[in-house]
Structures are given as structure tokens and as C-alpha cells.
């Protein structure tokens, strides 16, 4: 039976919540869409404050929520717009650092304290003066939030160090990708078709997914690809993602004749995964819950990943973990797995068991709703 939220603390029904979203992160945007649908189904009124482009992509109104355009900027106009929306809210829930900072500014002038829940999906990385600014914003947000939900234990610990009064583990369910339209192709035919299109008919296919930036460790991946050239047949590495390092990486691939294809942004990642022999996650930093790691285990694709951030907690013993930034360890782990079908089969089975321990979307909504009720129900008089 689906639990239903309590009435609002002022005797009104339903509970009125505002979800604040920056709109720049696919994981947090998908989470808010899922959360909105689940809360509305449980009798909660949900208003999502996000840029227009986020509404166009994620269709919050289609989930039953109201959408109010609030730009990503923290300028006075944006903060004033958010303050107006939050004026009648029983609770505000912000997602990500910048959205949370805007929520703090919007709620700061209110005489009646409105509970603020912050979900910390990932930690923004920067260097120099920008890094100092981000740490200041983090402290401001963590100290102002009523409850901080960290997607991983590392993020919970970071929230506490930054001054959070109440930081809890709040794992986020794997975002559901749109289902592929039904068609006549069976999975084996589709797998063969994808491999043929990529040029991996008679050679192993390795896949990495994620934005082309420094933290992803793609320089280490290219270094490892040099070692894989001596294999017979040499595996093909495909990378799905776009980002600022594309030109630099492409120049290396061409100059060193590496067996690597940069595919750019793709909307068929499940099909690519289903066609792959191994999934690779060479990240130097991964404090949040990696979408690729979750999708690989769900798809029964053996995963080789850096033992960094939230990865070990997320995958347990269901992946081959290597020291981050270690080219030899990454190259050797892939070679061993390609030579050991028994080990690959074992990782597939462990992956299925590990994935079964992760929260479902329904369980995630239920946890969030229990926190909402905890923060909004009136304290009984003794």
C-alpha cells in the first residue's frame, strides 16, 4: 500500500512542498522528476522551481507538479522569484549546491522558519579562487539546512565537516531511462548490430560513459589503451560523452593511433552497454552515485572502476576496483578480465545481487516523505 503524507502543520491539506533545482545536472533533474511523481501520487502538492529548459527536458508538469521558471542565477531577481514561490510552502527541498544556496537566500528573510532539506548529489570540483568560493557556499548551505541528505557516505561526512546540523545518508535511486520503442529486433540481433556499427564484430568492445573532463580520468584510459594495442585482437574502446577535453583527447587518439572512438553525446547508452564486453570507469573523483556503475551492474556488464569516492560503497565486490590514476593497474585489470570468462561471469552474478540492494524509486520517495513528515508535523504538547 502506498503511504500517504500527513496534513500540513497548519491543518491544511495537502502538504505543500517546493523543489528547487539548478537545472544543469541530469542526475539531480531526473531525481526531482521521479520524486515529484512519487510525492504527487501520495497526496503532496509539489512545485518545481527550475529553468524553462529543465521543464522542457524533464516534464515536471507531466509528473503532476507545478513548474515555476527560476533562472540558474543567484541575482536578486531570481532570489526574489524563488522567495515568492516559497512564501506559502510548508517545506523547501533543494538539490545541488547552487540551487541550495539560492534557497538559503530566499528563505533567509522569512520570520517563520521554513524547513529546508538539501540533497547533495555530488561535490562540485574547482581549483584556485573558485574552489575557495565553493567551500564558502558549502558551509553557508550546510549550516542553514534543517536536514542534509548525502547520496553517499562520503558526501554525508563532507556535509558534517562543513557544519551540517543533521546530515543523513539519502541514496538516490538509479534514474530511469526512457524505454526503447518496441521493435522486432531481439537482444542478440541488436547487440550484433551495435557492435557492427562501431566496428567491433570480432574484437572486444569496452565502453566508458561520462562528460569529457579532468575528473573522469580519460587521460589514464588513453594511456591504458596503448597497452591493449598488443592484444590479438585489440579491443575497441568507445567513449560516450561530450565535454571540454574532446579536442585534446581526439588529438591524442589520432596522433598515437589508439583504438578509441569518441562517440559524443548518445541517447542509446543502454544499447551500447548491452553490446559491450566490459564497462570502464577510470574516474579520479566520483563522490556521488555513479550512473554508469549502476547501469553496468543492472545490465550484467563487468565493470572496471577506480576505487575512489562513492564507488566502493556502491558496487561492493561486484566490480574490479583499481587505484585511481594508475594506468598499469587499469590496463592489467582489463587484460585479466578479457582472458578470464569465469571471472567475468562471476562479476555479472555479483552485479545482479548488488543491484538488488540499491533503493528503488518508490523506496527513495518513501524515505524523503518520512523526513518531510518529521519536519512538518507539530510537536505534541506534554
Amino acid at each position: 500500500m502506498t503511504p500517504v503524507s500527513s496534513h500540513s502543520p497548519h491543518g491544511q491539506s495537502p502538504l505543500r512542498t517546493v523543489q528547487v533545482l539548478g537545472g544543469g545536472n541530469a542526475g539531480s533533474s531526473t531525481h526531482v522528476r521521479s520524486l515529484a511523481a512519487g510525492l504527487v501520487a501520495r497526496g503532496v502538492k509539489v512545485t518545481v522551481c527550475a529553468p524553462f529548459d529543465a521543464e522542457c527536458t524533464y516534464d515536471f508538469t507531466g509528473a503532476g507538479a507545478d513548474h515555476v521558471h527560476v533562472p540558474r542565477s543567484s541575482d536578486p531577481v531570481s532570489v526574489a522569484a524563488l522567495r515568492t514561490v516559497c512564501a506559502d510552502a510548508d517545506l523547501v527541498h533543494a538539490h545541488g549546491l547552487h540551487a541550495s544556496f539560492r534557497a538559503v537566500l530566499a528563505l533567509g528573510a522569512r520570520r517563520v522558519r521554513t524547513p529546508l532539506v538539501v540533497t547533495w548529489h555530488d561535490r562540485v570540483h574547482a581549483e584556485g579562487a573558485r574552489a575557495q568560493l565553493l567551500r564558502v557556499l558549502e558551509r553557508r548551505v550546510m549550516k542553514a539546512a534543517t536536514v542534509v541528505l548525502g547520496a553517499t557516505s562520503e558526501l554525508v561526512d563532507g556535509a558534517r565537516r562543513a557544519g551540517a546540523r543533521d546530515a543523513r545518508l539519502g541514496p538516490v535511486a538509479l534514474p530511469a531511462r526512457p524505454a526503447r520503442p518496441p521493435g522486432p529486433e531481439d537482444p542478440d540481433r541488436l547487440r550484433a548490430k551495435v557492435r557492427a556499427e562501431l566496428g567491433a564484430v570480432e574484437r572486444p568492445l569496452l565502453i566508458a560513459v561520462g562528460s569529457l573532463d579532468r575528473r573522469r580520468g580519460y587521460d589514464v584510459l588513453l594511456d591504458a589503451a596503448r597497452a591493449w594495442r598488443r592484444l590479438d585482437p585489440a579491443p575497441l574502446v568507445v567513449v560516450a560523452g561530450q565535454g571540454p577535453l574532446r579536442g585534446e583527447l581526439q588529438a591524442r587518439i589520432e596522433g598515437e593511433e589508439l583504438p578509441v572512438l569518441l562517440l559524443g553525446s548518445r541517447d542509446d547508452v543502454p544499447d551500447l552497454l548491452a553490446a559491450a564486453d566490459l564497462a570502464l570507469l577510470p574516474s579520479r573523483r566520483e563522490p556521488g552515485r555513479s550512473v554508469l556503475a549502476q547501469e553496468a551492474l543492472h545490465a550484467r556488464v563487468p565493470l572496471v572502476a577506480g576505487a575512489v569516492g562513492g564507488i566502493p560503497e556502491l558496487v561492493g565486490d561486484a566490480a574490479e576496483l583499481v587505484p585511481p590514476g594508475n594506468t598499469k593497474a587499469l590496463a592489467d585489470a582489463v587484460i585479466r578480465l578479457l582472458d578470464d570468462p569465469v571471472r567475468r561471469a562471476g562479476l555479472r552474478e555479483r552485479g545482479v545481487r548488488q543491484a538488488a540492494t540499491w533503493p528503488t524509486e518508490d523506496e527513495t520517495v518513501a524515505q524523503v516523505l518520512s523526513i518531510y513528515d518529521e519536519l512538518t508535523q507539530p510537536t505534541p504538547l506534554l
Side-chain angles (χ1 to χ4, degrees), residues 71-341:
R72 291 180 177 85
S73 172
S74 293
D75 63 28
V77 174
S78 297
V79 173
L82 185 57
R83 182 179 297 125
T84 299
V85 178
C86 293
D88 296 323
D90 299 313
L91 180 142
V92 176
H93 189 165
H95 302 263
L97 178 60
H98 295 292
S100 299
F101 181 65
R102 286 196 291 277
V104 169
L105 295 178
L107 295 174
R110 297 200 63 187
R111 288 176 295 177
V112 177
R113 181 169 176 79
T114 301
L116 172 62
V117 177
V118 167
T119 292
W120 210 6
H121 297 262
D122 201 349
R123 195 175 193 205
V124 180
H125 178 71
E127 298 178 356
R130 177 169 164 75
Q132 295 179 357
L133 174 61
L134 289 175
R135 301 297 83 85
V136 170
L137 295 185
E138 283 179 2
R139 290 193 293 271
R140 176 79 179 272
V141 167
M142 297 303 146
K143 291 178 180 179
T146 314
V147 173
V148 177
L149 298 177
T152 65
S153 296
E154 178 178 312
L155 291 172
V156 173
D157 292 341
R160 289 171 179 157
R161 288 194 300 270
R165 295 168 293 165
D166 186 342
R168 313 178 191 183
L169 185 63
V172 175
L174 176 66
R177 290 188 183 270
R180 184 172 0 103
E185 289 184 308
D186 62 54
D188 289 337
R189 283 190 62 187
L190 181 61
R191 172 183 167 88
K193 178 182 177 182
V194 172
R195 292 177 70 94
E197 290 173 348
L198 295 173
V201 174
E202 297 181 353
R203 61 194 298 195
L205 179 62
L206 317 181
I207 181 173
V209 180
S211 57
L212 306 184
D213 55 43
R214 297 289 177 193
R215 76 159 181 160
R216 298 291 181 180
Y218 289 129
D219 56 330
V220 177
L221 179 60
L222 296 192
D223 290 341
R226 284 205 300 265
W228 300 330
R229 288 185 303 187
R230 72 172 186 266
L231 302 179
D232 186 20
L236 174 66
V237 183
V238 297
V239 181
Q242 194 61 273
L245 295 185
R246 170 136 196 171
E248 177 181 324
L249 296 174
Q250 187 63 48
R252 276 199 60 188
I253 292 167
E254 295 173 2
E256 300 173 33
E257 298 183 342
L258 299 175
V260 180
L261 288 179
L262 301 183
L263 303 179
S265 298
R266 300 284 292 235
D267 58 7
D268 60 345
V269 169
D271 293 341
L272 295 174
L273 267 174
D277 296 291
L278 299 178
L280 308 178
L281 187 63
S283 300
R284 288 188 171 86
R285 294 178 52 256
E286 200 74 47
R289 293 174 67 86
S290 165
V291 172
L292 175 62
Q294 294 176 81
E295 291 190 327
L297 268 58
H298 271 297
R300 297 172 57 86
V301 179
L303 173 69
V304 181
V308 62
I311 295 297
E313 176 184 32
L314 181 65
V315 303
D317 65 352
E320 194 80 27
L321 298 181
V322 299
N326 190 318
T327 298
K328 186 176 187 304
L330 175 63
D332 289 349
V334 167
I335 292 171
R336 285 196 307 271
L337 277 179
L338 291 177
D339 286 340
D340 190 345

